[in-house]
Amino acid sequence: MNVTLKTVVVTLAALALALLGGWLWGSTGRWRAEETLTKASTGLHLANARGNMLAARVSLFEVNFGEASRSLVSAKADLVTAAEAFDRLRLRSEAAAAREVAARVEDARQMAGRLDQSANTRLAEAIRLLPKMP
């Protein structure tokens, strides 16, 4: 069997081309799937934030400021995570809106820490400004 340099080079080039083609073929749907997963995860964080904000409002109505504060800490964490995900998805306005809501939630938490019932009004404004998933 007489193997020449040309045969080796052609075989290696064909192998490299096959590997590249397989990688491209396998990864075409992956990027869309990752984007869809990020959107779903972001929606979940927004829903958790909304739920925690509503739970905090109920706690404020019941004059349970400690429980309201705990719910608001959880809501803020979900909002910050959602804002980071919006940044990864290049949705700048939604990211800014999530950060604005997180700031209002932090204000409401501080007001609740001072036993201020007007935290409920601040929280209602924050819920109204909560961004939606595009």
Side-chain angles (χ1 to χ4, degrees):
M1 176 160 208
N2 193 3
V3 179
T4 64
L5 181 62
K6 183 178 178 181
T7 306
V8 171
V9 170
V10 168
T11 304
L12 288 176
L15 182 61
L17 188 61
L19 286 173
L20 179 65
W23 181 79
L24 287 174
W25 185 26
S27 67
T28 53
R30 190 182 105 220
W31 293 314
R32 278 187 300 221
E34 285 177 352
E35 183 178 340
T36 303
L37 179 63
T38 301
K39 284 183 179 180
S41 174
T42 305
L44 179 63
H45 285 293
L46 290 174
N48 283 340
R50 179 182 298 278
N52 282 321
M53 291 163 68
L54 292 172
R57 287 196 73 194
V58 169
S59 295
L60 289 171
F61 279 126
E62 294 175 347
V63 194
N64 187 347
F65 293 101
E67 185 60 35
S69 181
R70 282 187 286 280
S71 295
L72 292 174
V73 166
S74 296
K76 183 181 175 191
D78 280 322
L79 288 166
V80 168
T81 304
E84 291 168 354
F86 280 134
D87 283 335
R88 283 192 304 277
L89 292 168
R90 293 179 197 88
L91 299 171
R92 304 292 180 229
S93 61
E94 286 84 356
R99 285 189 178 90
E100 173 64 27
V101 172
R104 289 179 187 246
V105 165
E106 178 60 24
D107 289 344
R109 190 194 63 76
Q110 289 175 0
M111 294 168 92
R114 293 190 305 265
L115 308 179
D116 188 351
Q117 266 301 93
S118 61
N120 198 6
T121 305
R122 176 68 61 157
L123 199 49
E125 294 169 3
I127 291 171
R128 186 179 52 80
L129 294 175
L130 199 62
K132 305 280 191 263
M133 275 306 296

